[in-house]
Amino acid sequence: VAEHRPRGFRVHTAAARVIDDDRDDVTVIVSEAPAVASAVFTRSRFVGPSVTVSREAVADHRARGVVVVARNANVATGKEGLANALEVRRLAAAAVGVDEHELLVASTGVIGVQYQMDSLRTVLGALTAAADTDFDAAARAIMTTDTAPKIHSARCGDATVIGIAKGVGMLEPDMATLLTFFCTDAEIAPDDLDAAFRRVMATTFNAVSIDTDTSTSDTAAVFANGLAGPVDLAEFEAALHETALRLVRAIARDGEGATKLIEVHVRGARDDAQAKRVGKTVVNSPLVKTAVHGSDPNWGRVAMAIGKCQEEHDIDQERVHIAFGDIAVYPHAPDAEAVERLVAHLDGATVEIHIDLGIADGAFTVYGCDLTEGYVRLNSEYTT
Amino acid sequence: VAEHRPRGFRVHTAAARVIDDDRDDVTVIVSEAPAVASAVFTRSRFVGPSVTVSREAVADHRARGVVVVARNANVATGKEGLANALEVRRLAAAAVGVDEHELLVASTGVIGVQYQMDSLRTVLGALTAAADTDFDAAARAIMTTDTAPKIHSARCGDATVIGIAKGVGMLEPDMATLLTFFCTDAEIAPDDLDAAFRRVMATTFNAVSIDTDTSTSDTAAVFANGLAGPVDLAEFEAALHETALRLVRAIARDGEGATKLIEVHVRGARDDAQAKRVGKTVVNSPLVKTAVHGSDPNWGRVAMAIGKCQEEHDIDQERVHIAFGDIAVYPHAPDAEAVERLVAHLDGATVEIHIDLGIADGAFTVYGCDLTEGYVRLNSEYTT
């Protein structure tokens, strides 16, 4: 749900039949005015040319937008893949009337397969510069195995921040996420934008994990064209954070095969970084995820997962406290009545796990989802 | 299959109804003669009292055997749990006529639940010192969710090495595995035994991963009573390695819900440690595991998983080679005929993934299994 639109951004979507159906799978988002930008990318050692090209494009913190091809990652495709990425960007830039160096390229989907360039050339050649602000269409067109589009907007003063995101599997962002793009008409200096964006990413998109698998294509970018004039910096960061957090919750809830959102709130850690490591270990544990899926009050698996953090020598099981929602389970095991309430909490759409390590003041919250037979089914059958 | 028996070891099994059925779930293995021993344990920060007590018992490298309680881990059970572990050991030692400090204690199963001590007292009190060498019964009695017992023996000169193991989930050993015990009548000095055992564990039980979850209870121990006299050290280590590797393959193949054994052979790494990290990352990737499950020739997921090793800055995708069995898939994508052979390989009971990083001479092989709907089903329903 996004009620507001930033001024001066155009959206184009088209169907290039990247795989054999009719849905839109090519998206161009572009600012009519010059814009400042910031972006973070996957840290994979097997990045695709889209990431390489986009890293270079955003290096000067000036970019107007992005062209996205869904359902083919264009990764592990060699020199031909790089040439194709550059041609896709050149064609998109020509169609919407900007310099090619002002566009990022993003692509997710199957790895190791070349783009069908004939079809992409036809579709990109037919794009017109006509104004359209249908960000909902863009949120749909960038999807791969997502079951629902992810879009949210927030206001700060006279300006708007809008964000879209996709990604439900192969998803443990580290420096970034799969694909998420933010557009704003706030006027903001490149350094301020970059600093705010990185802080927001750290506690939102870098705090979500569906299945521990890091994509080769993760890209998160923000574009600010200034058409709404100056904004209060703190208010802007709050709007960006709210938008990003809502997208993250939507992504975790829509994790491949997922039926529940899991939030792991860690506090009492040595520092925030330790709290994040512990939270990630718990939210990624297949045994915690399956127990949540089955509403199994098997809280001992959370203790096991904390125990996996073998390098955290200051974690002492005698000082740890564990709760689900408001139901404490460790060190005092729940009685029958509490187990009943625990099962009821596990049956809900959002499961909250609270861990207090009892060391110091570090805290962090991570987001994930349950592991289901649907995840296995979907990923056993993906390309065949 | 274990054709040979070491001299001088007795085996006791009994049904203590740890959970509500009649199968044997208490095991005592003990040498009639004094024995030297070595053991490695989980590095979890949430270890149970069994591990604490056993660590102390084996510190002087003298121990005759172990008492095992299956289907209750006795973890996160506080002071009462520790007192129970000590009482179980005392009762077992008295029944078989050894000093309590000569016995290890091991326990796996549900976390956070106290032993039913009445039943354990009755069963352990009724144990007799009568000779029995039924290691097959022990291999069955230590099982939890295993679907088959794991046992193997090998000869070295006049001596025998026999090993049993259990564990099919919550299993990514680091310093050790779930439960595995080796008995031998070889005569071997404590230091030699310890060194050989640690080397063998490093390339066998520390090279297997079912689901990345490290147990709170992992224990691997070897007991040598010397009744067969001296042996050639290299021959002994080879026999121990063969026994351990066969148990590891059986464990991976019997991973919870698993239908296939996955072996990831990494070579061309900077060193063996890097090869191991890369192999573990690949064998633990849910997307690789599900693709193998579905015989999906989606080899790009192996490239993705290698790419996840973000800290390995010397991995260059231009120098990497990937193959399944003898079918090369990267950097030259397989043609239609090769894809057909790839699917046939994936349909087999053992899937071999070969990765050459093209850096130097480091090599390591890791063992795992596919991820199936059966894994999710089993672990969603464990305690309820």
Side-chain angles (χ1 to χ4, degrees), chain B residues 111-342:
Chain B
I111 294 173
V113 176
Q114 299 291 346
Y115 280 153
Q116 300 195 11
M117 287 302 294
D118 286 350
S119 167
L120 283 169
R121 283 181 197 115
T122 306
V123 161
L124 290 167
L127 284 189
T128 64
D132 191 341
T133 60
D134 191 355
F135 278 88
D136 291 299
R140 280 192 303 274
I142 65 173
M143 300 195 308
T144 50
T145 54
D146 304 61
T147 65
K150 287 101 187 163
I151 183 165
H152 190 74
S153 67
R155 298 280 292 170
C156 63
D158 192 38
T160 295
V161 175
I162 194 165
I164 63 172
K166 63 80 55 180
V168 284
M170 199 185 287
L171 207 165
E172 178 166 0
D174 191 346
M175 283 297 281
T177 180
L178 285 201
L179 298 185
T180 183
F181 303 107
F182 300 85
C183 296
T184 180
D185 46 11
E187 184 181 322
I188 184 164
D191 287 354
D192 291 336
L193 180 66
D194 196 51
F197 190 58
R198 285 169 194 276
R199 275 193 301 268
V200 166
M201 288 295 111
T203 56
T204 57
F205 281 87
N206 286 349
V208 65
S209 179
I210 303 297
D211 57 8
T212 80
D213 277 340
T214 303
S215 162
T216 49
S217 310
D218 297 339
T219 301
V222 58
F223 307 98
N225 65 15
L227 295 183
V231 290
D232 178 80
L233 277 184
E235 211 179 312
F236 173 76
E237 186 165 331
L240 191 62
H241 189 270
E242 181 201 320
T243 303
L245 190 60
R246 285 196 185 236
L247 292 173
V248 155
R249 284 209 169 99
I251 278 177
R253 198 180 287 287
D254 195 25
E256 284 180 343
T259 64
K260 299 172 190 178
L261 169 66
I262 303 178
E263 298 190 358
V264 181
H265 302 267
V266 182
R267 65 170 188 272
R270 183 169 70 243
D271 51 32
D272 295 355
Q274 183 186 48
K276 180 178 178 179
R277 288 192 297 275
V278 171
K280 279 281 191 94
T281 304
V282 172
V283 87
N284 280 331
S285 159
L287 291 171
V288 171
K289 288 157 73 82
T290 48
V292 167
H293 177 53
S295 298
D296 181 353
N298 196 347
W299 57 266
R301 291 183 177 172
V302 174
M304 174 282 299
I306 298 170
K308 279 170 77 173
C309 303
Q310 302 165 349
E311 305 307 327
E312 314 289 341
H313 297 291
D314 48 359
I315 294 181
D316 176 355
Q317 55 176 292
E318 314 242 321
R319 285 187 294 172
V320 171
H321 286 72
I322 306 171
F324 284 70
D326 61 356
I327 307 127
V329 297
Y330 180 85
H332 300 293
D335 59 19
E337 183 269 339
V339 167
E340 209 166 292
R341 286 196 299 129
L342 174 53

Side-chain angles (χ1 to χ4, degrees), chain A residues 43-47 76 111-112 170 174 211-214 216 285-287 290-291 293-294 296-301 303-304 307-313 315 317 330 371-373 375-377 379-380 382-384, chain B residues 43-47 76 111-112 170 174 211-214 216 285-287 290-291 293-294 296-301 303-304 307-313 315 317 330 371-373 375-377 379-380 382-384:
Chain A
R43 292 173 65 210
S44 170
R45 305 297 303 158
F46 245 92
V47 298
I111 294 173
M170 200 184 286
D174 192 346
D211 58 8
T212 79
D213 276 340
T214 302
T216 49
S285 159
L287 291 171
T290 48
H293 177 54
D296 181 352
N298 196 348
W299 57 266
R301 290 183 177 172
M304 175 280 299
K308 278 171 78 174
C309 303
Q310 302 166 349
E311 306 307 326
E312 313 290 340
H313 297 291
I315 294 181
Q317 56 176 292
Y330 180 85
L371 173 61
T372 70
E373 292 157 272
Y375 177 88
V376 176
R377 209 152 40 227
N379 285 301
S380 301
Y382 184 57
T383 64
T384 49
Chain B
R43 293 172 64 210
S44 170
R45 304 299 302 160
F46 245 92
V47 299
I111 294 173
M170 199 185 287
D174 191 346
D211 57 8
T212 80
D213 277 340
T214 303
T216 49
S285 159
L287 291 171
T290 48
H293 177 53
D296 181 353
N298 196 347
W299 57 266
R301 291 183 177 172
M304 174 282 299
K308 279 170 77 173
C309 303
Q310 302 165 349
E311 305 307 327
E312 314 289 341
H313 297 291
I315 294 181
Q317 55 176 292
Y330 180 85
L371 173 60
T372 70
E373 292 157 274
Y375 177 88
V376 175
R377 208 151 42 227
N379 284 301
S380 301
Y382 184 58
T383 66
T384 49

Side-chain angles (χ1 to χ4, degrees), chain B residues 50 69 72-74 81 84-85 88 105-107 113-117 120:
Chain B
S50 308
V69 178
N72 181 330
N74 189 24
N84 288 343
V88 162
V105 189
S107 208
V113 176
Q114 299 291 346
Y115 280 153
Q116 300 195 11
M117 287 302 294
L120 283 169

